[in-house]
Amino acid sequence: MPHRVAVLALDRVVPFDLGIPARVLGAARGPDGEPLYEVVTCSIGGAPVRTSADFTIVVDRDERALGEADTVVVATQEPEGRLRDEGVLPDEVAAALTTVRSDARLVTICTGSFVLAAAGLLDGVPATTHWMQAERFRRLFPRVDLRPDVLFVDNGRTLTSAGGAAGVDLCLHIVRSDHGAEVANAAARRCVVPPWREGGQAQFIEHPVPAFSAASTAATREWALANLHAPLTLAQLAAHARMSVRTFTRRFRAEVGMSPSRWIAQQRVDRARALLETSDLPVETVAHEAGFGSAALLRMHFRAAVGVSPQTYRRTFQAPAAA
């Protein structure tokens, strides 16, 4: 049976964000093309829902879908009334959330975190929200360990994301955690979005969009991906881009949002994930193919990024593929 996901649409829901779970999770497919997630949308009482745009949406299910779901997603909505001013939920929303199973995963996109926080479901755990609402969130919910400068936070049962695009990252992270990098990468390709931005990456609050220039680092990034197995120094990257090290570093950070060295390490971990899932290569060989040079260095970077050893990761994600 596909993993059941219920998306809760509340008053003033943001239409783009509401569609993210169905679009991204719906793109995750098994080895025979079967859908891995069944995504449904519900509202309180099954009533039409006002959006933050100039239209209202109609859904087919009411809040009973929450109690049947393996994962519950609270979509972005513009907090208003007592939720915005006092951190208090409407009675019917609070009652609906009590029907969620104790073993169900709870996910929020952007300001959907206000809803879980108001229900007390984020007390004592790290969480994030949109940076523009961070001060209000911290004032209303002091028991939540707010992380306002990251894309998403995964606590196991509760997962929260920042703005709408970070909801895409979080949904891909869910697919990757459930089914591995290969399935997540395929889903990302179907949605035509980047397959991986780590949760700890900054929200780029003050970063302006760089002016267009023919002197981009894109070609060098493509070259680096084709040569991850080889040593890649900052000087080599800058030379390939025909820039000084200083200019290359500045332009790379403006285009990608992180330093070249951090990006390279992230790509190498992702390459190692794919090799661990799809091959029987020894860990030492995986380390060399991904550019880490040694199994010890791979283990250090892999555990820091993923939280488990390469061997544990392989056992987890090769078993479902074999089945």
Side-chain angles (χ1 to χ4, degrees):
M1 291 290 293
H3 184 98
R4 294 168 298 180
V5 180
V7 183
L8 178 60
L10 297 173
D11 212 26
R12 301 289 294 170
V13 68
V14 176
F16 173 82
D17 298 18
L18 178 63
I20 288 172
R23 184 68 185 92
V24 177
L25 299 179
R29 302 287 169 157
D32 296 322
E34 72 277 14
L36 297 174
Y37 299 89
E38 177 190 353
V39 184
V40 301
T41 304
C42 65
S43 68
I44 302 300
V49 181
R50 287 189 307 147
T51 72
S52 61
D54 62 341
F55 57 87
T56 296
I57 60 171
V58 177
V59 300
D60 294 332
R61 293 172 174 82
D62 61 21
E63 66 270 26
R64 287 176 293 182
L66 301 178
E68 301 167 355
D70 304 305
T71 293
V72 170
V73 181
V74 182
T76 309
Q77 38 80 51
E78 295 185 352
E80 59 182 1
R82 295 190 68 193
L83 178 59
R84 179 194 60 209
D85 299 331
E86 305 172 44
V88 177
L89 288 173
D91 291 342
E92 61 274 17
V93 177
L97 291 175
T98 64
T99 67
V100 177
R101 300 195 328 249
S102 61
D103 61 341
R105 182 165 51 193
L106 298 168
V107 178
T108 67
I109 299 176
C110 196
T111 52
S113 55
F114 277 68
V115 176
L116 291 192
L121 296 169
L122 297 179
D123 286 356
V125 300
T128 192
T129 193
H130 194 286
W131 63 271
M132 292 182 68
Q133 295 290 339
E135 289 187 13
R136 181 188 302 274
F137 187 97
R138 183 176 282 114
R139 183 174 67 253
L140 292 174
F141 311 113
R143 295 182 180 179
V144 180
D145 180 10
L146 181 65
R147 308 287 175 87
D149 56 349
V150 299
L151 292 179
F152 61 82
V153 176
D154 181 352
N155 294 307
R157 190 196 180 206
T158 59
L159 300 89
T160 54
S161 68
V168 175
D169 297 310
L170 180 54
C171 286
L172 286 172
H173 168 76
I174 289 171
V175 176
R176 185 177 295 103
S177 299
D178 290 349
H179 301 286
E182 187 174 19
V183 173
N185 290 345
R189 286 194 296 272
R190 290 189 181 98
C191 298
V192 198
V193 295
W196 173 248
R197 290 198 298 169
E198 66 173 325
Q201 188 170 323
Q203 291 186 32
F204 315 132
I205 297 169
E206 299 295 341
H207 290 207
V209 176
F212 174 80
S213 170
S216 168
T217 65
T220 297
R221 295 198 301 273
E222 184 176 353
W223 172 79
L225 289 174
N227 292 276
L228 283 178
H229 61 281
L232 293 172
T233 66
L234 183 56
Q236 287 175 311
L237 296 170
H240 183 275
R242 298 182 179 180
M243 301 177 191
S244 69
V245 169
R246 181 177 180 182
T247 298
F248 176 79
T249 302
R250 173 173 50 81
R251 190 155 292 160
F252 191 100
R253 188 180 288 275
E255 293 178 1
V256 181
M258 66 180 75
S259 69
S261 59
R262 183 178 175 187
W263 182 82
I264 290 290
Q266 181 175 298
Q267 302 310 311
R268 284 177 165 155
V269 168
D270 208 27
R271 176 70 57 82
R273 284 176 183 244
L275 290 172
L276 290 166
E277 291 179 30
T278 60
S279 77
D280 294 319
L281 294 173
V283 171
E284 188 74 36
T285 304
V286 170
H288 284 282
E289 289 291 323
F292 287 108
S294 70
L297 197 57
L298 167 62
R299 292 187 188 99
M300 182 183 74
H301 282 274
F302 203 88
R303 186 174 289 277
V306 184
V308 298
S309 69
Q311 294 91 336
T312 300
Y313 185 87
R314 170 171 273 170
R315 287 195 298 271
T316 300
F317 288 111
Q318 279 198 339

